[in-house]
Amino acid sequence: MRYKSASIGFMVSLALVGCASATSGCAGWGGVTDEIDDFTKVRVVQSGKGFVYCTANEALLCSPGFYLSFKWAGGEDVIATVTYSDYVSIEQLEWNVDGEILQSISVGTSTELDGQVLSTGRSVTVVRESTQRFAIPRAMARRLLEAKSTLVRVRLANSVVSKAGDFLRPTVSGQPSASEILREVLKRADGGA
């Protein structure tokens, strides 16, 4: 029995390592796909969720908190989707790029709410998420990645609470960072593979 547990742990570790890169994530995390939409015939590059480190505590991912994913479907803008780990109304996505404050433009009129119950036999977990989409011009997205310092903040409506994170900091535990994923989306949008 002892060997079986060790084998299962080893296999889970291998699976997690395989999901960790910005180009090949799994289960909604990381990964970037590049496809042609069957209906519109437009090239679509999109990603799974990427982690952001909280600025309040250098050792913690913003979890529970927020994650970012990105989509480009032709045109000049990349759409950033903020996924917040609770039912909230997301008002703004703000960036501090080398000391200059920039705001992304909201796409859509309201925050979408999603909930699901996950059962693992003995325990039940309720997952609550809110999402809101924001447009980021590609030139601004490049600036976010080329800066010496880029912080990102999600501001909630009717609240003094907000979550801020270090956008450029790579993760140390192998999870894909939001900046790595955005870099890959832009590379593919610009014609690279």
Side-chain angles (χ1 to χ4, degrees), residues 33-156:
T33 62
D34 190 335
E35 300 172 348
I36 302 294
D37 182 279
D38 290 336
F39 184 74
T40 63
K41 305 300 182 205
V42 170
R43 188 164 154 246
V44 178
V45 179
Q46 61 186 8
S47 76
K49 298 174 192 170
F51 287 95
V52 176
Y53 270 94
C54 287
T55 53
N57 185 337
E58 289 295 318
L60 296 177
L61 295 168
C62 277
S63 175
F66 70 93
Y67 312 99
L68 298 172
S69 58
F70 304 95
K71 180 177 181 178
W72 175 78
E76 191 49 38
D77 292 336
V78 173
I79 303 300
T81 300
V82 175
T83 302
Y84 199 96
S85 301
D86 201 356
Y87 289 151
V88 295
S89 180
I90 301 169
E91 184 175 87
Q92 189 56 254
L93 180 62
E94 300 173 318
W95 307 89
N96 180 330
V97 182
D98 290 332
E100 182 181 353
I101 305 301
L102 305 172
Q103 294 184 339
S104 297
I105 298 168
S106 178
V107 177
T109 55
S110 63
T111 301
E112 296 174 21
L113 305 177
D114 184 29
Q116 53 185 306
V117 177
L118 304 176
S119 175
T120 58
R122 289 189 223 171
S123 64
V124 174
T125 304
V126 177
V127 177
R128 300 183 304 189
E129 293 182 334
S130 304
T131 58
Q132 177 71 323
R133 296 177 303 139
F134 296 90
I136 303 173
R138 283 168 57 189
M140 179 178 154
R142 285 187 196 88
R143 227 177 121 196
L144 300 176
L145 295 169
E146 294 167 357
K148 291 180 183 177
S149 170
T150 300
L151 302 177
V152 58
R153 178 169 66 182
V154 174
R155 215 174 32 172
L156 308 179

Side-chain angles (χ1 to χ4, degrees), residues 51 53 61 166-180:
F51 287 95
Y53 270 94
L61 295 168
D166 185 344
F167 183 69
L168 296 177
R169 181 175 177 188
T171 62
V172 293
S173 53
Q175 298 96 338
S177 72
S179 61
E180 291 168 329

